[in-house]
Each structure stands twice: as structure tokens, then as C-alpha cells.
Amino acid sequence: MSERKVLNKYYPPDFDPSKLPKLKLSKERQYVIRTMAPFNMRCKTCGEYIYKGKKFNSRKETCQDQTYLGLRIFRFYIKCPRCLAEITFKTDLENCDYEMEHGATRNFEAVRLAEKQAEQEQKEKDDEIASNPMMVLEKRTKDSRMEMERLEQLEELRDINARHASLDHSNVLTFHMEYEKQLQKLQDDEDEKFIKSVFGKGEVSADGIKRIEDESDEEDGLPLKKRQAIAIAGSSKPTDVLSQEPRKELNKPKPVWEKSVGSLKSKSTLNGLVRAKKPSTEMKKKPDAIGLVSKPDLSKTETNTALRRAATLESAPSSSATPSGLSLLSNYPDSGSNSD
């Protein structure tokens, strides 16, 4: 089955449109259309009021014997919603309105009546002026006088505008550009002052990088703590501390977890437990550095005892405040002799 809605239909090769039968319709044919009541009306049969804008399924026809300037006039047929009596009205092209024919009466409209009365008075007045030549002359004189007064008023307004319009557009633009330049310059100066106040005495480049001044030779000879105290005292802003060197931690006590009873990593603590078989010349000279006198005729046992004492004295500064168990063991002189 073909589609119901298509763009192109099939025409056979032998199709001849002139052979199609033409539908002949009468000129008095009526069309059923949906329309609205153009004005407020009242039915003559039952007295029902029909307000403006009420919708009806009406019949429309063309008036055969009535035209206006070659335009057709249409007539409409509606039924009363209460008694179903027929009501007719037609178009009024001369007044751009609708005209009631029969079946109902149009309600009173004060605005429409006032407009019609004003138009009628104006028409009568124009007819009277056109018929009386003296009134035509008076009207013409009055119109010329009004025109002269309006021209004088316009000239006065032009003179007033010319007196007050002493400004030149080019001067206004130049003044505005100079004002913008001065305002930008003031903003740049304020920004530069703010940067200097924040970064202190150091030089600030165009990129916003602070150049710290080199310290003098006199300050190099001072201790670190004293230099830092002088820098902090001389700084006027809290942010000057950022440009100072970081403080080094001096004599900071070690935490508890770094302290131990004994340390097996230091070689000095084991020197007391090792006994040299043959002391070398370097080991003989070592006691002289700590104030002990070495004698060439000492016995073997005395030499070993002196070496152990020297090793103990060397390991004492590096060890912690609490002596380790291995260092206490090395202080006994009998430990070396019993091992023999």
C-alpha cells in the first residue's frame, strides 16, 4: 500500500489535464466557517444577550448586488444560542465596521457614538468654510500667522543652542585622553610605592624580583647570631624576615630516641678490648700527646695497660653522658692480664 502523504504523484504518459471535468459552483454558494461576534447584541426573539467575541459556526456568502469601491461585501448567518433564531450581519467597508441586518439589535456604544458625532461636526464645519469666502480668508490668515510664530520660536531655540554649544569634540577627546594618561600614571606610582613598602630596602626590578643588597665586609666578621639580631632589629616590616638567612640550630639537644646506652658503631669503644700483640711506633707516640710518658724499658703488661687507658681517654668525649657497659668493662686492668 502506498503512502497517503507524498510530495509527487504519478502521472501517466497519456495524461491530459484538459479532459478533467470542471466543478461548476454557483456564485451564491455559502461556506461554513468559524467566526466570532463582532459586537454586543441582543436577540429580538428571546432577549438573550450575545457578547462580543462569542464563537459561532456561521455561514458566509457574498452579497451579489452590493459593493464598495469594487470590493465585495460579505454576509454572515448565525443562530441564537438560546432560541436558535437566525441572526444576520454584514461587513461595512465604508466605516471599517460591521452592520446589523436583522434578528438582533446592536447594544449602545458611547465611544462609537462620540466618534461618529465628532466626524459629523468636522464635516459640517468644512462644508461651511468652503461655502463662505470670507471664512476661507480668515482661516488662511490665521494659518500664516501661526506658521510665522512657530518659525520665530524655532529660530530662538537655534540661537540658544548655538550660544551654549561652545565645546569642540576634538578638544573634549584630547582632554579625556590626557586625563586617562594621568590616572594611569598615578596608579603606577601607587603600585610602585606599595611594592617598595612590602619588600623593604631591597631593589625591585621591572619583573618584580627583589635584589638583596650585598652585606659589607664589616658585617662578615660578626658572628651569625649577632648579624641576625641586627637584621631583625633594623627591619621595619614583618615580611623582611623572609629575605633573611635561615637560622642554624646551634647546641640543640638531641631527642630521647637518639640517645642510647651503648653504641656498637663507634670503633673507639672497642679499642679497650683489643690487645695489640706488638705495639707499633705510632701507638707508642700516642700517649705523649695526652701527657703520658712512654719508657722504653716498660714491661709488656704495663705497655698494654697504658694503651688501654689512652684509648679510654680518647673515646670519652665522643660517647654520651651515660657510660656504656663495654666501656666500663675495658677500665678493669685485670681483664687484659687474665686473658693471657
Side-chain angles (χ1 to χ4, degrees), residues 16 23 26 46 50 56 58 76 82 109 118 143 152 172 185 187 200 204 219 241 282 292 316 332-333:
D16 188 4
L23 183 62
S26 63
C46 62
I50 301 172
F56 293 93
S58 63
F76 299 91
R82 184 176 179 184
E109 294 178 2
D143 292 342
E152 290 178 359
V172 172
K185 187 176 180 181
Q187 290 179 355
V204 180
E219 293 182 355
V241 182
E282 294 178 0
L292 299 176
Y332 291 95

Side-chain angles (χ1 to χ4, degrees), residues 30-291:
Q30 295 181 351
Y31 298 90
V32 178
I33 62 172
R34 186 79 169 168
T35 186
M36 298 166 62
F39 45 76
N40 297 329
M41 63 185 78
R42 185 182 181 187
C43 179
K44 290 182 179 179
T45 305
C46 62
E48 177 72 11
Y49 285 96
I50 301 172
Y51 57 87
K52 180 180 179 180
K54 187 175 179 60
K55 293 182 179 179
F56 293 93
N57 292 326
S58 63
R59 291 177 290 114
K60 184 190 79 167
E61 68 177 7
T62 305
C63 299
Q64 298 298 327
D65 55 346
Q66 297 179 8
T67 57
Y68 177 74
L69 301 177
L71 300 176
R72 294 178 294 177
I73 295 175
F74 299 102
R75 182 181 287 110
F76 299 91
Y77 297 88
I78 62 174
K79 290 183 178 182
C80 176
R82 184 176 179 184
C83 64
L84 300 179
E86 192 175 56
I87 301 171
T88 62
F89 57 89
K90 61 181 180 180
T91 56
D92 186 8
L93 300 180
E94 185 178 359
N95 300 319
C96 298
D97 198 2
Y98 290 87
E99 183 182 354
M100 193 72 209
E101 279 193 328
H102 75 294
T105 56
R106 186 169 181 173
N107 292 349
F108 174 76
E109 294 178 2
V111 178
R112 180 170 171 269
L113 183 61
E115 291 177 355
K116 185 180 290 187
Q117 187 175 358
E119 290 178 0
Q120 187 175 0
E121 289 178 358
Q122 184 67 27
K123 187 177 181 180
E124 291 176 359
K125 189 175 182 181
D126 293 340
D127 293 341
E128 185 180 358
I129 292 172
S131 61
N132 192 349
M134 292 299 295
M135 293 184 69
V136 172
L137 182 61
E138 290 178 1
K139 183 180 178 183
R140 196 176 299 170
T141 306
K142 187 177 180 180
D143 292 342
S144 61
R145 190 182 303 166
M146 290 289 295
E147 186 177 358
M148 291 296 292
E149 290 179 358
R150 290 173 183 174
L151 288 175
E152 290 178 359
Q153 292 177 0
L154 181 61
E155 192 67 26
E156 289 180 3
L157 290 174
R158 287 179 179 176
D159 294 340
I160 293 171
N161 293 335
R163 285 197 301 269
H164 290 291
S166 59
L167 294 177
D168 190 6
H169 296 288
S170 59
N171 294 336
V172 172
L173 292 175
T174 306
F175 176 77
H176 183 68
M177 291 174 65
E178 291 179 356
Y179 173 75
E180 290 291 338
K181 290 180 180 179
Q182 293 179 0
L183 185 62
Q184 186 66 28
K185 187 176 180 181
L186 290 174
Q187 290 179 355
D188 294 341
D189 293 343
E190 290 179 0
D191 294 343
E192 195 170 335
K193 289 179 182 178
F194 177 71
I195 292 170
K196 287 182 179 180
S197 64
V198 170
F199 290 96
K201 299 179 181 178
E203 297 179 359
V204 180
S205 62
D207 300 334
I209 302 173
K210 182 179 178 182
R211 308 297 182 187
I212 301 174
E213 298 178 355
D214 298 335
E215 296 180 357
S216 59
D217 296 337
E218 297 178 359
E219 293 182 355
D220 293 341
L222 298 175
L224 179 61
K225 288 185 177 181
K226 194 169 183 180
R227 279 185 290 166
Q228 290 178 352
I230 292 171
I232 292 171
S235 63
S236 59
K237 298 292 179 181
T239 54
D240 292 342
V241 182
L242 300 175
S243 62
Q244 298 173 3
E245 298 178 0
R247 298 182 181 179
K248 295 181 180 180
E249 298 179 356
L250 301 175
N251 298 330
K252 184 178 180 181
K254 293 183 178 180
V256 179
W257 54 84
E258 292 184 4
K259 296 181 181 180
S260 62
V261 178
S263 177
L264 297 176
K265 294 182 181 180
S266 61
K267 294 181 180 181
S268 60
T269 57
L270 298 176
N271 289 336
L273 299 176
V274 179
R275 186 181 65 180
K277 292 182 179 181
K278 292 180 181 181
S280 60
T281 57
E282 294 178 0
M283 297 298 293
K284 289 180 181 180
K285 293 179 181 179
K286 214 165 192 180
D288 296 340
I290 60 174

